[in-house]
Amino acid sequence: MTPVLEGADLPPGYGTVNPFVAVRGPGGAPGFLRFVAHVLDGRETRAAHTVDADDLLIHAEIRVGGSTIMVCDAKPHWVATPALLQVYVRDVDDVVGRAREAGAEVVTEPTPFHGGQRLARLRDPWGDLWWLYEYGPGSTAPSEGPDELPAWRPDPSAPPSYVHRTIDEALTAPGAG
């Protein structure tokens, strides 16, 4: 049996592997979303639209045909990254173990995440970052939420969560910050 989710095992609106684009440049992530909507008839999943404490877009999703592209504004101190890739898996612990054996660095250990999913992050030997989501019975994804912007936003005076801190550290240039 393959370790990845596919077909009916996936949450609605997602493929097994989904690209994540950190945007720098004209119009930032909102401009990128408008471009994809105009050029490719993309439709933003409003329930996923999340603005971070610094007013940058930390997460948005746009559907293009049968695929979802995830988008954020790159933080000013983040180093450029070749690719950010997200994959739905059956067993995140198993996949993290396989990745370690193949030389990947674990950025975020498997941890409970939004919607009853489990999340882990890896940096492969080529510098790409992979998000691994374990989705199963009792889990929900943003595509299953209401078509409205969420009210949740991190408290700018609180220390960052493990999930926020580990990705920020992985994308911060040495000596920055």
Side-chain angles (χ1 to χ4, degrees):
M1 176 183 290
T2 177
V4 301
L5 295 181
E6 53 191 328
D9 291 336
L10 289 162
Y14 299 89
T16 303
V17 177
N18 303 279
F20 202 131
V21 181
V23 178
R24 280 193 166 88
F32 179 84
L33 290 167
R34 286 190 299 273
F35 173 82
V36 172
H38 176 74
V39 173
L40 301 171
D41 291 333
R43 182 175 184 282
E44 185 176 1
T45 303
R46 293 179 53 85
H49 191 104
T50 307
V51 177
D52 208 348
D54 59 5
D55 289 325
L56 292 175
L57 188 60
I58 194 63
H59 187 89
E61 298 180 4
I62 190 162
R63 286 270 308 186
V64 178
S67 298
T68 296
I69 301 170
M70 294 174 221
V71 182
C72 72
D73 282 306
K75 303 287 186 180
H77 58 279
W78 286 1
V79 64
T81 303
L84 305 174
L85 303 164
Q86 186 260 356
V87 182
Y88 281 100
V89 300
R90 294 185 190 285
D91 180 340
V92 72
D93 297 302
D94 177 61
V95 175
V96 165
R98 290 172 188 232
R100 276 190 173 118
E101 289 171 7
E105 168 196 358
V106 177
V107 171
T108 306
E109 293 290 340
T111 190
F113 194 61
H114 175 77
Q117 300 177 87
R118 291 182 67 223
L119 165 73
R121 294 191 190 99
L122 312 167
R123 183 187 316 272
D124 70 25
W126 303 273
D128 298 309
L129 289 174
W130 295 81
W131 274 247
L132 304 174
Y133 283 82
E134 183 179 289
Y135 174 89
S139 299
T140 58
S143 64
E144 297 169 299
D147 188 21
E148 59 190 43
L149 298 177
W152 179 86
R153 206 172 156 188
D155 178 352
S157 65
S161 70
Y162 173 69
V163 169
H164 272 79
R165 182 176 46 78
T166 56
I167 193 58
D168 192 58
E169 290 169 358
L171 292 171
T172 299

